[in-house]
Amino acid sequence: MANEVAIFENTLRPLTPRFEQALGGVMPVAKLMRSIMISVERTPKLLNADRQSLLNAAMSAACLGLEVDGVTGQAFFVPFANRAQLIIGYKGMNTLAARSGFTVQGDVVREGDAFDFELGDRGFVRHKPQLGSQAPIIASWATAS
C-alpha cells in the first residue's frame, strides 16, 4: 500500500499550480496537499476508486478551500461505487458560511431545557439549557445570521 500512496502523491504533485489557483489564497497549497494525502493514507480504499474521480474530489476541495484530512471535520473523501466523492462536513459548512460573513449557531434541546422559538420574518430562537443535563434530546436548532 505504501507504494500506491507514493504513486498517488506523484500523480498529485504536478497539479499543485492548479490547486494553488483554485485555493485563491484561502489556505496554503501545501496544507491542502497534506490533508489529501492524510485522507488517502487513512482510507486506503480511495486508491481503488477511479483515479480521475479522486482527483476531481481533490480539486473540488481546493475550489472550496476545505481540508479533507478527516481531523478538522471540514470535508471527507468517501469511496462509493468505485468512485471517490467529496462530502462536506458540518464544520466545512460553518467554514464556508463564516467566509461569507454568516455566523452559524446550533445546539440540541434536552428535556427540561427552556426553549422557545418563532418562525417568520421576525423569527427567533431562545434556548436556556440546564447545565450538565444528560436528559433525553427532544429537538435541535440552528440559526445563521
Side-chain angles (χ1 to χ4, degrees):
M1 184 191 87
N3 192 31
E4 290 179 52
V5 171
I7 291 169
F8 177 71
E9 189 168 17
N10 288 335
T11 303
L12 201 59
R13 195 170 289 122
L15 299 175
T16 301
R18 290 186 180 178
F19 287 135
E20 193 164 25
Q21 184 180 22
L23 284 166
V26 172
M27 84 169 75
V29 70
K31 187 173 186 176
L32 173 72
M33 299 291 274
R34 190 67 213 137
S35 79
I36 292 168
M37 293 311 301
I38 289 170
S39 186
V40 168
E41 289 166 358
R42 288 187 175 180
T43 311
K45 285 185 179 181
L46 288 167
L47 294 171
N48 297 331
D50 173 69
R51 192 55 44 101
Q52 190 60 51
S53 73
L54 184 52
L55 295 173
N56 289 345
M59 184 54 76
S60 294
C63 288
L64 294 170
L66 297 176
E67 294 178 56
V68 291
D69 57 11
V71 175
T72 62
Q74 291 185 349
F76 308 86
F77 290 149
V78 177
F80 181 75
N82 198 37
R83 299 182 55 79
Q85 295 185 337
L86 178 71
I87 305 294
I88 302 171
Y90 82 92
K91 290 182 181 179
M93 294 291 188
N94 283 348
T95 298
L96 295 173
R99 285 188 200 143
S100 299
F102 286 89
T103 300
V104 179
Q105 294 180 294
D107 207 347
V108 296
V109 180
R110 294 184 179 275
E111 205 171 89
D113 288 358
F115 181 70
D116 191 22
F117 72 98
E118 186 172 308
L119 301 176
D121 60 345
R122 295 182 189 198
F124 65 86
V125 173
R126 289 192 187 94
H127 180 205
K128 200 176 234 183
Q130 290 184 356
L131 293 178
S133 173
Q134 295 298 312
I137 296 171
I138 57 170
S140 61
W141 62 270
T143 62
S145 56

